[in-house]
Amino acid sequence: MANIVVMGGGLGGLPMAYEMQDLARDGDTVTLVSDRDYYHFVPSNPWVAVDWRKRDEITVPLSRPLNKRGIQLKVGKVVKVEAAANQLLLEHGDVVSYDQLVIATGPRLAFEEIPGLGPDGFTQSICHIDHAEVARDKWLEFTANPAPIVVGAVQGASCFGPAYEFAFIMDKDLRKRKIRDRVPMTFVTSEPYIGHLGLDGVGDSKTMLESELRQRHIDWICNAKVEKVENGVMHVLECDEHGQEKQRHQLPFGYSMMLPAFTGIDAVREVDGLVNPRGFILIDNHQRNPAHPNIWSVGVAVAIAPKKPTPVPTGVPKTGFMIESMVTATAHNIRAVLDGEAPAKEATWAAVCLADMGDTGIAFVAIPQIPPRNVNWMKSGKWVHLAKIGFEKYFLHKIETGVSEPVYEKIMMKTLGINKLKD
């Protein structure tokens, strides 16, 4: 019998453990290894940062659903993957052995690549709930003394949606407080154009997002490299379409949130053949590492090359439904291997996204996420804001009950022509 270990308890890891438990054989053991004992719903972090949500509203203790499903939980930070010995080395000397390993850790946040960036510097982050709570405290201080805001994503970032969301959410909160007129806002991004999103756009995302920024009087700088951040000043190099210097900006701010670049986690860096130069897991079409056939990966930890280069480096985002499709393919492929068969399932990497804008929102469907696509659709409206709230409650309910994909969800998505596995 096999010990299947899932490394990471977030958006990819927890559903991975649930689906693997559904497909495991009698006698197989599924173990989740997480550096924290709770799950938090990352898409709600922008709301936490403006005090629209509290921690206990978007977190779930891991032990509760995992015990219910018969999945073992090991809480501890993995400091090294020993692929030759099929073991994980944890801090404080603990060791976890595996027959099949799924790496679903998410990224390491590379704040140190830009001087002054991040919660230990002069900008805020919404990448983790701990960061979002610090950002909230700074936000409440800021609203008592309004000043300019700089928000966006730095060079090498691969997750742009939350930056747009947070810009719009801050705008809405400032309007509610009736101080928006005292707060100039600038959106700074490494994207070659507004709405690129690391995906070369989705539908008419360029026109739609530019329009939304204009309506809210938010200026923007694209093809931007953040050179350094000082207390109250961000130094930005704006590049032309060839990546050459176009203009330098010194942007004053009283509050700033900038999404960092991601890398892979330190624990996988020394494993020969496992990662690319940035530390992301190399996989084949079945989510399996070619050099280590019993190691698989899903989610933000996966290496995906950009479709085409941009003047300033941008990464490819790994969005929620895309990650869920990776999870489903991986679970089926591990079961096939356990049964002595070759893995055959491929994830569609379809993207279904709801982006909140405070009182309205934008939704898009991209199948597959990376162009060229079979479906390329984007719409906006107040209904998206309400749908995002509903999805938050629904997803947390799934986590609580230990179910990755209820039957009715599968039927509904199939009816809409949105599938997790390729035919």
Side-chain angles (χ1 to χ4, degrees):
M1 294 297 100
N3 186 22
I4 305 155
V5 173
V6 179
M7 185 175 153
L11 182 61
L14 208 49
M16 184 71 235
Y18 294 162
E19 293 205 26
M20 197 67 252
Q21 183 74 343
D22 290 337
L23 291 175
R25 306 165 301 178
D26 291 341
D28 289 337
T29 300
V30 178
T31 302
L32 182 80
V33 179
S34 176
D35 62 355
R36 55 183 181 263
D37 63 359
Y38 62 89
Y39 168 86
H40 79 279
F41 188 62
V42 174
S44 293
N45 285 346
W47 293 337
V48 172
V50 293
D51 207 28
W52 292 1
R53 288 289 187 280
K54 302 296 185 186
R55 174 184 282 261
D56 60 0
E57 295 177 290
I58 66 164
T59 56
V60 176
L62 288 175
S63 58
R64 198 158 59 210
L66 293 179
N67 287 342
K68 184 188 306 181
R69 290 300 315 275
I71 299 169
Q72 297 183 12
L73 172 63
K74 181 69 175 179
V75 178
K77 181 180 178 181
V78 177
V79 295
K80 190 174 184 181
V81 174
E82 291 278 11
N86 294 332
Q87 290 181 335
L88 305 181
L89 305 185
L90 278 59
E91 58 186 352
H92 311 308
D94 291 346
V95 176
V96 176
S97 298
Y98 63 84
D99 295 302
Q100 300 290 329
L101 173 66
V102 184
I103 299 175
T105 56
R108 175 183 167 275
L109 307 176
F111 294 116
E112 81 289 344
E113 293 184 347
I114 299 173
L117 189 71
D120 293 332
F122 304 106
T123 65
Q124 305 305 314
S125 165
I126 53 172
C127 297
H128 191 279
I129 189 170
D130 292 345
H131 296 164
E133 288 189 312
V134 173
R136 175 203 60 208
D137 294 342
K138 296 291 186 181
W139 178 252
L140 296 177
E141 293 175 11
F142 167 80
T143 56
N145 298 282
I149 286 175
V150 178
V151 59
V154 306
Q155 58 272 25
S158 58
C159 187
F160 298 92
Y164 285 102
E165 280 192 296
F166 195 52
F168 295 133
I169 287 169
M170 286 191 292
D171 169 81
K172 172 61 177 177
D173 195 66
L174 292 169
R175 285 187 279 121
K176 285 170 59 179
R177 296 173 185 272
K178 302 190 186 307
I179 57 173
R180 179 65 180 89
D181 60 315
R182 298 161 59 188
V183 182
M185 293 180 67
T186 305
F187 191 84
V188 175
T189 178
S190 57
E191 300 163 274
Y193 58 83
I194 291 297
H196 180 277
L197 302 171
L199 299 170
D200 202 13
V202 179
D204 197 17
S205 56
K206 181 179 188 295
T207 301
M208 292 178 70
L209 284 170
E210 282 188 356
S211 176
E212 296 291 348
L213 290 172
R214 286 194 189 95
Q215 287 181 33
R216 291 165 174 79
H217 308 286
I218 301 173
D219 297 327
W220 65 79
I221 301 172
C222 295
N223 281 329
K225 290 182 180 179
V226 178
E227 295 185 307
K228 65 179 179 179
V229 186
E230 297 174 325
N231 189 11
V233 180
M234 185 175 298
H235 297 261
V236 176
L237 172 62
E238 181 182 0
C239 298
D240 62 19
E241 64 271 21
H242 304 295
Q244 302 301 308
E245 180 177 338
K246 177 180 178 182
Q247 185 177 353
R248 289 184 179 273
H249 305 265
Q250 292 187 13
L251 304 176
F253 65 86
Y255 188 92
S256 177
M257 195 294 297
M258 296 295 293
L259 297 177
F262 293 165
T263 72
I265 63 170
D266 294 336
V268 300
R269 290 283 192 149
E270 297 179 12
V271 183
D272 188 44
L274 184 61
V275 299
N276 71 3
R278 292 287 285 176
F280 293 107
I281 310 299
L282 300 168
I283 57 168
D284 61 16
N285 291 337
H286 307 295
Q287 308 294 135
R288 190 185 204 182
N289 178 255
H292 304 276
N294 65 336
I295 298 181
W296 316 71
S297 189
V298 301
V300 183
V302 165
I304 302 178
K307 189 69 176 179
K308 56 186 178 182
T310 52
V312 176
T314 60
V316 178
K318 293 93 173 186
T319 56
F321 191 84
M322 178 188 187
I323 294 173
E324 291 186 61
S325 75
M326 295 182 189
V327 165
T328 298
T330 303
H332 281 84
N333 287 331
I334 291 177
R335 176 57 196 258
V337 168
L338 295 178
D339 289 338
E341 302 170 3
K345 301 297 184 183
E346 293 187 36
T348 57
W349 288 13
V352 182
C353 291
L354 301 170
D356 181 51
M357 299 164 67
D359 50 8
T360 181
I362 289 178
F364 73 78
V365 178
I367 307 176
Q369 178 168 284
I370 300 171
R373 303 183 178 107
N374 296 316
V375 178
N376 194 38
W377 173 91
M378 177 173 274
K379 299 290 182 182
S380 63
K382 185 175 180 63
W383 65 272
V384 183
H385 171 69
L386 300 174
K388 180 71 177 274
I389 295 172
F391 180 72
E392 173 196 54
K393 308 304 180 190
Y394 172 68
F395 197 88
L396 285 168
H397 173 72
K398 290 202 300 180
I399 294 298
E400 282 270 17
T401 55
V403 178
S404 177
E405 187 182 34
V407 173
Y408 52 83
E409 177 185 327
K410 189 178 299 185
I411 293 172
M412 180 185 72
M413 299 302 278
K414 191 174 183 65
T415 300
L416 295 172
I418 303 171
N419 300 305
K420 291 182 177 179
L421 298 177
K422 293 183 179 180
D423 293 334

